[in-house]
């Protein structure tokens, strides 16, 4: 797998340190307003599961975890813009403080859909924590309260991000060589 990566953008140590910083910020921001109920941390499967697991360990207030599975890519490498919910939440979020743990904000189409869907369920608040925000020419206007890293508009893998379900288990985030996916 490592031979398919042209460069490492963010090392395992850099990711760990930044996730710890985001977890501390979420703890501070929600300590009082979420009270004893804490927050609900939601991850979109599968890419953000690793980020959410590490983030949850860094949050020092009560934190419930839930997952959704959403598809917008089909078999391609670009978002189709058509979003389908494959697995919905198990938790009720009405009146609760919700933090979405997102792996990467690329076009923003999927996240925009998700935010509208979750907002219709009347949470007390809805906040986005994304590990990566890709610098793209066209991106939906999505407010991310917490951003781990800005990254180039390249095909990246590792730390949950995949190509054809491979490379998710790389401990770093790197650029996939174009010959792998072209």
């Amino acid at each position: 797998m490592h031979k398919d990566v042209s460069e490492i953008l963010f090392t395992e140590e850099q990711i760990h340190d930044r996730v710890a910083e985001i977890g501390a910020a979420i703890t501070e921001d929600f300590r009082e307003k979420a009270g004893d109920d804490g927050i609900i941390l939601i991850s979109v499967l599968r890419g953000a599961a690793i980020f959410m697991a590490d983030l949850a360990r860094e949050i020092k207030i009560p934190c419930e975890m839930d997952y959704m599975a959403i598809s917008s890519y089909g078999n391609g490498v670009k978002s189709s813009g058509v979003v389908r919910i494959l697995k919905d939440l198990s938790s009720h979020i009405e009146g609760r403080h919700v933090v979405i743990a997102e792996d990467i904000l690329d076009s923003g189409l999927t996240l925009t859909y998700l935010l509208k869907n979750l907002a219709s369920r009347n949470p007390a608040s809805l906040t986005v924590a994304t590990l990566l925000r890709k610098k793209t020419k066209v991106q939906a206007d999505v407010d991310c309260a917490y951003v781990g890293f800005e990254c180039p508009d390249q095909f990246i893998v590792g730390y949950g991000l995949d190509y054809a379900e491979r490379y998710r288990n790389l401990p770093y985030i790197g650029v996939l060589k174009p010959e792998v996916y072209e």
Side-chain angles (χ1 to χ4, degrees):
M1 289 188 305
H2 301 284
K3 68 179 176 19
D4 294 340
V5 175
S6 63
E7 77 177 285
I8 295 174
L9 296 175
F10 307 107
T11 66
E12 185 174 5
E13 183 177 321
Q14 288 173 307
I15 294 167
H16 175 270
D17 291 349
R18 188 64 185 120
V19 171
E21 291 170 1
I22 294 169
I26 290 171
T27 299
E28 185 63 30
D29 292 348
F30 286 93
R31 185 181 310 279
E32 289 186 26
K33 69 178 166 181
D36 292 338
D37 288 339
I39 63 171
I40 298 179
L41 196 57
I42 295 175
S43 166
V44 175
L45 294 172
R46 299 179 193 146
I50 292 172
F51 171 51
M52 185 167 92
D54 287 347
L55 182 60
R57 285 189 284 269
E58 300 293 342
I59 294 173
K60 307 304 181 201
I61 58 173
C63 178
E64 183 179 330
M65 296 168 60
D66 205 343
Y67 302 87
M68 292 183 81
I70 297 175
S71 173
S72 68
Y73 283 83
N75 293 326
V77 295
K78 295 273 186 203
S79 176
S80 66
V82 177
V83 179
R84 296 181 313 133
I85 294 178
L86 305 175
K87 183 218 171 289
D88 207 343
L89 296 174
S90 301
S91 307
H92 295 286
I93 64 170
E94 184 173 346
R96 300 286 308 276
H97 294 280
V98 174
V99 176
I100 299 170
E102 179 69 298
D103 55 353
I104 185 166
L105 178 58
D106 194 340
S107 69
L109 296 174
T110 304
L111 189 54
T112 297
Y113 171 85
L114 179 62
L115 286 166
K116 286 179 185 174
N117 180 290
L118 295 177
S120 74
R121 302 177 196 200
N122 300 313
S125 67
L126 194 52
T127 306
V128 176
T130 187
L131 179 63
L132 301 166
R133 186 173 201 140
K134 195 177 270 193
K135 295 178 187 173
T136 60
K137 292 177 182 138
V138 180
Q139 189 176 81
D141 185 25
V142 177
D143 181 32
C144 295
Y146 312 97
V147 177
F149 303 99
E150 297 283 338
C151 68
D153 190 9
Q154 295 176 292
F155 200 106
I156 56 177
V157 294
Y159 195 72
L161 297 157
D162 77 303
Y163 171 66
E165 296 305 322
R166 297 186 62 193
Y167 311 102
R168 289 189 195 278
N169 58 323
L170 293 174
Y172 56 80
I173 295 170
V175 177
L176 190 63
K177 292 179 180 175
E179 57 266 23
V180 175
Y181 59 89
E182 287 179 342

